[in-house]
Amino acid sequence: RTRNAELMQDRTPVTMDRTSSNHNASTSAGIRLGPALPLQHFAGSPLDRSLPGVKKFDAGGQEVCLVVCSGREICVHPQESDGSGATQDLQILLLGANDPQLDLNSDEIALLFAPDGEGTDVKRLPLYLLGQDSAERWTFALDISGPCKAAFLGFLQEGCALGVVMQDLRSLMPSLSRDACSIAGQAVSLSQWHQTHRFCHRCGAHTAPVEMGMRRKCVVAEHKLYPRTDPVVIMLVESPDGRRALLGRSRKFTPGMYTCLSGFIDQCESIEEAVRREVREEARVAVEEVQIVGSQPWPIGRYGSCELMLGCVAKARSYEIMVNTGEMEDVQWYDRAELRAAVGLYDDLGDASVAELQQHSMDSLGFFVPPPLAIAHHLIRLWARAEGPWFPAHPASSSTAGGPGSSSSKAPASAL
């Protein structure tokens, strides 16, 4: 690859008048709070999640809503496009709060279901409280994971004549509305967490859902377990001259896709420390300033966990890249014009599918960036459409091999 070799010979510093910048931010201990990204997918739930400590569900005539889920799968039905691109919607089941099939006042709230249809072998399908909708109806995730899954889905399809399917939420994202994505994300997060925390982490005994499915409790020692969210930093790294951004790809990615570097935050590590460490580990690029610009919940994370993506823009102190091949396949500097064109393709090609857009980007640019469903896209877009450098430009560190003024011409994308 010659991209980085060319960069080493073209590093004229760019200056910027900070008094006219629209990137206003307060600085404290090297971290900046920057202009916010737009609201991301999975955020902005239409449900009211400010839940009371105690709530009775036996009020006459009150309805409750059930969202059917199983791990990362959610129950959906097709719908005509509403102009927003949504072609599927969540299948919501409405029941009266006093329905005999509902048990909403036990420690382990559940829907009672008889797979044989005769009521001789009643199963308890767990419910997890999600919040209240705009009509003040309580909304629950109904978890059908386990041996009853096929029978319950068959009951909906045949007994209720519903044209529903269970589908992985990740594949559903482009066809669901933003509100539906948010509710579905909360439901599958709880389902996955309950499935992976059936045993006490202290004594190994069984655990059971409590507090309307919002917690689990050890049945022996009564230790409580709380749903977990794993924090992840994801960063757009700007070059020292402010003209280029650092993107990389893992071997697991779709061929041709380059995106922002990212990584989990370690225990007792700040956001800015995690950004610097991850960039150093993956590309051997030194980073100084870090600016937080937004976040995105990601309920379909690695290893079945719910992640919180913390979006940042960071300033590099060096240009030379040394790819850590244990973590990355490639890392490259891309200039602003390239990235502006890459994000612009998602706006310009109308009704083309994501796959068609990405192929067009490959044909015209030789790479593509993630679609607008991911915070990485919006970090790239935010930086690419800025009028100038994000941070004040300055020369790269003189201790960096091949720094400004060096006559050496080397391709810094060497492997560790």
Side-chain angles (χ1 to χ4, degrees), residues 118-186:
E118 302 296 329
T120 57
D121 183 24
V122 177
K123 305 295 184 182
R124 295 179 63 88
L125 304 181
L127 298 171
Y128 316 132
L129 184 58
L130 303 179
Q132 277 186 310
D133 67 11
S134 57
E136 298 188 349
R137 294 176 301 197
W138 292 99
T139 302
F140 298 86
L142 171 62
D143 194 347
I144 63 171
S145 303
C148 290
K149 179 179 176 180
F152 191 83
L153 186 59
F155 165 72
L156 294 180
Q157 294 169 335
E158 299 172 14
C160 302
L162 297 174
V164 297
V165 294
M166 298 293 293
Q167 195 167 332
D168 185 89
L169 180 55
R170 189 184 190 103
S171 64
L172 278 172
M173 286 178 68
S175 59
L176 288 177
S177 69
R178 297 289 292 269
D179 283 353
C181 261
S182 179
I183 295 172
Q186 186 186 0

Side-chain angles (χ1 to χ4, degrees), residues 44-74:
S45 174
L47 300 179
D48 180 3
R49 298 169 65 173
S50 54
L51 307 174
V54 178
K55 179 69 182 181
K56 295 294 185 182
F57 295 97
D58 55 0
Q62 184 181 7
E63 283 187 326
V64 298
C65 303
L66 305 183
V67 179
V68 182
C69 62
S70 173
R72 274 177 46 157
E73 292 185 334
I74 202 81

Side-chain angles (χ1 to χ4, degrees), residues 272-323:
E272 60 269 42
E273 288 173 327
V275 168
R276 295 186 184 108
R277 175 182 55 77
E278 285 290 342
V279 177
R280 185 76 174 172
E281 286 179 358
E282 295 180 352
R284 283 297 186 267
V285 172
V287 165
E288 48 181 15
E289 290 187 83
V290 177
Q291 185 180 93
I292 302 173
V293 295
S295 62
Q296 180 181 27
W298 195 248
I300 49 177
R302 290 159 278 190
Y303 319 118
S305 67
C306 180
E307 299 170 1
L308 179 62
M309 310 298 292
L310 301 168
C312 302
V313 179
K315 182 70 170 182
R317 287 195 293 111
S318 59
Y319 292 91
E320 185 172 6
I321 297 171
M322 297 179 66
V323 180

Side-chain angles (χ1 to χ4, degrees), residues 8-43:
M8 298 299 289
Q9 300 179 16
D10 178 22
R11 281 180 272 147
T12 306
V14 178
T15 59
M16 180 177 70
D17 181 4
R18 293 293 290 178
T19 61
S20 62
S21 170
N22 62 352
H23 308 309
N24 297 323
S26 59
T27 304
S28 175
I31 191 164
R32 294 170 177 267
L33 300 178
L37 292 173
L39 193 68
Q40 300 294 301
H41 265 74
F42 297 121

Side-chain angles (χ1 to χ4, degrees), residues 56-290:
K56 295 294 185 182
F57 295 97
D58 55 0
Q62 184 181 7
E63 283 187 326
V64 298
C65 303
L66 305 183
V67 179
V68 182
C69 62
S70 173
R72 274 177 46 157
E73 292 185 334
I74 202 81
C75 187
V76 294
H77 65 84
Q79 69 168 16
E80 292 186 10
S81 178
D82 57 2
S84 66
T87 58
Q88 299 192 78
D89 198 8
L90 303 180
Q91 179 62 58
I92 305 295
L93 308 181
L94 292 177
L95 283 82
N98 293 324
D99 192 302
Q101 291 179 295
L102 286 175
D103 178 3
L104 297 177
N105 290 292
S106 298
D107 285 340
E108 298 182 44
I109 60 176
L111 176 75
L112 307 181
F113 174 64
D116 59 4
E118 302 296 329
T120 57
D121 183 24
V122 177
K123 305 295 184 182
R124 295 179 63 88
L125 304 181
L127 298 171
Y128 316 132
L129 184 58
L130 303 179
Q132 277 186 310
D133 67 11
S134 57
E136 298 188 349
R137 294 176 301 197
W138 292 99
T139 302
F140 298 86
L142 171 62
D143 194 347
I144 63 171
S145 303
C148 290
K149 179 179 176 180
F152 191 83
L153 186 59
F155 165 72
L156 294 180
Q157 294 169 335
E158 299 172 14
C160 302
L162 297 174
V164 297
V165 294
M166 298 293 293
Q167 195 167 332
D168 185 89
L169 180 55
R170 189 184 190 103
S171 64
L172 278 172
M173 286 178 68
S175 59
L176 288 177
S177 69
R178 297 289 292 269
D179 283 353
C181 261
S182 179
I183 295 172
Q186 186 186 0
V188 302
S189 295
L190 282 170
S191 177
Q192 291 178 101
W193 177 75
H194 278 282
Q195 289 181 37
T196 56
H197 289 76
R198 297 185 183 277
F199 299 93
C200 178
H201 59 285
R202 294 187 181 183
C203 67
H206 283 279
T207 63
V210 293
E211 298 181 27
M212 300 174 286
M214 304 285 289
R215 310 282 186 267
R216 292 186 75 88
K217 185 173 70 174
C218 174
V219 298
V220 175
E222 297 193 347
H223 302 306
K224 281 190 178 180
L225 288 73
Y226 296 82
R228 63 178 288 171
T229 296
D230 297 331
V232 177
V233 287
I234 181 166
M235 45 278 179
L236 189 292
V237 181
E238 181 179 73
S239 63
D241 64 6
R243 293 179 171 181
R244 298 165 179 87
L246 191 68
L247 302 183
R249 60 171 284 102
S250 161
R251 290 180 177 84
K252 301 176 183 178
F253 291 174
T254 305
M257 187 179 81
Y258 280 75
T259 186
C260 302
L261 304 187
S262 64
F264 289 100
I265 298 179
D266 284 346
Q267 290 179 318
C268 204
E269 184 178 48
S270 68
I271 294 172
E272 60 269 42
E273 288 173 327
V275 168
R276 295 186 184 108
R277 175 182 55 77
E278 285 290 342
V279 177
R280 185 76 174 172
E281 286 179 358
E282 295 180 352
R284 283 297 186 267
V285 172
V287 165
E288 48 181 15
E289 290 187 83
V290 177

